[in-house]
Amino acid sequence: MTISEQPATLRERKKLRTRQALIDTAVTLFGERGFDSTPLDALLEQVEVSRRTFFRNFRSKEDVALTAVKQLWDVYLDVFDGIEKSGPLADVFLSAMLTTLERMDEGWYRRFPLTLRLIADSPALDGHTLRHCAEVQAEIARQLDEQNRLELRLLIEFFVAAWRCALDEWLPDCTPGELPAILRRVCSTMNSALSLEA
Amino acid sequence: MTISEQPATLRERKKLRTRQALIDTAVTLFGERGFDSTPLDALLEQVEVSRRTFFRNFRSKEDVALTAVKQLWDVYLDVFDGIEKSGPLADVFLSAMLTTLERMDEGWYRRFPLTLRLIADSPALDGHTLRHCAEVQAEIARQLDEQNRLELRLLIEFFVAAWRCALDEWLPDCTPGELPAILRRVCSTMNSALSLEA
DNA sequence: TTCCAAAATGCCACAGTGTGGCGTTTGCTC
DNA sequence: GAGCAAACGCCACACTGTGGCATTTTGGAA
């Protein structure tokens, strides 16, 4: 599961409920009417919250649409933090992602493909996602801070690139069980990609 | 040189002059006062053009700030289109960029470092740049359309990642002559990065 | 030189996003 | 039930980006 904490107080539960309603409604609504062509007010009206409350929960319109992506990387950073780092780092990055994928719940596997399609259709969302990936990469590098800064930085870039490639291959079907296999295949292709001939 | 065409007609020269004034003023003004905290009106007032004319020349506030980046990739795509593709593709990508760097003029080498600093300070600009890189990558892939789609896609991702790493290493000094050497060094590190151990 | 058509510009109004102030409601605690 | 703090809704505002329309400027041709 991503996060299954049960907040004791009623107030926090209520707050979480509207937050979740905003997330769910956003993905479906933007999916139906398009992200760019759907005013934020349409979402607020449907969930029945004021703009003020929305912006207390999310930084931007893009933020709420990309919640599934952020959740994934949050879990990834958590998994990566607790994983044993030995052997080839590329394998560590990969197995951390495989573990992460196992932790995500069914709700996430429903929302994530929808989010990917939103991203594919909206340059603004794509830019936001890439920027978020960059932040995650910086965070990973911070955790590993070693001497081979350049090689480490490159490897992180390569892995995230492989992940995005895997998502592109997964996008048409989006069968949850196939994603790990696709990611493995893409990662095993990395070496031969570097020596590709024209 | 990037583009040194002399438009015959006075009208086009005038238009290019205001366009160039917008570009130059934007980089310096945003550099002084920050991209996010500088209203577009400040730029328009300084160059003495209306908002309407600005948006006929540029798609957005980010667009004008990132002109140097777009110019680079425009030249790169042009160089890459005419280059001989033989041997390791990674070398082809690298030499195309080296040729591109030789083609850029002094004005560009003055604006480009300023632009890089703007990007480093503004997440919005960073997102726009990454998105633009993605479009360039898609264009390169389109030119090469072969059978090994996955390996090709990965290699392109890796090269652009290496380029961004090189820029990060170059950013502190920004000595124009050092960039090719840095890029060569980063590219030669790609192989060992993949086999990095924890 | 003069006149016309096209292009470029400026002005105005509007939609949409995001922020801050401020009063009001709601839930927590005693 | 009373007091308190958190969350909320309403309002006004700044900024970005778009479209309509009148005006000026320029290129070209009579």
Side-chain angles (χ1 to χ4, degrees), chain B residues 11 15 48-50 52-53 56:
Chain B
R11 176 144 58 191
K15 187 171 182 177
E48 288 180 320
V49 291
S50 70
R52 198 71 181 79
T53 357
R56 261 188 288 262

Side-chain angles (χ1 to χ4, degrees), chain A residues 42-57:
Chain A
L43 173 63
L44 305 182
E45 191 180 354
Q46 190 155 336
V47 189
E48 288 180 321
V49 291
S50 70
R51 207 188 334 274
R52 198 70 180 82
T53 19
F54 173 84
F55 281 106
R56 261 188 288 262
N57 284 276

Side-chain angles (χ1 to χ4, degrees), chain A residues 9-11 14 40 52 55 60-62:
Chain A
T9 126
L10 167 64
R11 176 146 59 190
K14 225 174 180 179
L40 187 58
R52 198 70 180 82
F55 281 106
S60 64
K61 185 185 170 189
E62 287 82 10

Side-chain angles (χ1 to χ4, degrees), chain A residues 14-111:
Chain A
K14 225 174 180 179
K15 186 171 183 177
L16 262 189
R17 205 181 312 152
T18 65
R19 182 185 159 82
Q20 196 61 43
L22 282 169
I23 294 172
D24 288 331
T25 314
V27 180
T28 62
L29 190 64
F30 292 155
E32 295 167 0
R33 300 168 47 178
F35 177 79
D36 297 310
S37 48
T38 306
L40 187 58
D41 293 341
L43 173 63
L44 305 182
E45 191 180 354
Q46 190 155 336
V47 189
E48 288 180 321
V49 291
S50 70
R51 207 188 334 274
R52 198 70 180 82
T53 19
F54 173 84
F55 281 106
R56 261 188 288 262
N57 284 276
F58 302 94
R59 285 200 209 123
S60 64
K61 185 185 170 189
E62 287 82 10
D63 195 18
V64 65
L66 295 176
T67 302
V69 177
K70 298 205 171 184
Q71 286 174 336
L72 174 79
W73 287 112
D74 283 349
V75 175
Y76 183 85
L77 286 176
D78 185 55
V79 169
F80 188 79
D81 189 42
I83 211 174
E84 186 201 344
K85 283 110 179 165
S86 64
L89 259 184
D91 294 345
V92 178
F93 289 142
L94 171 59
S95 67
M97 182 55 84
L98 295 175
T99 305
T100 301
L101 290 177
E102 289 171 5
R103 280 208 201 171
M104 309 314 285
D105 58 20
E106 319 83 43
W108 183 86
Y109 275 103
R110 179 179 51 78
R111 291 194 315 270

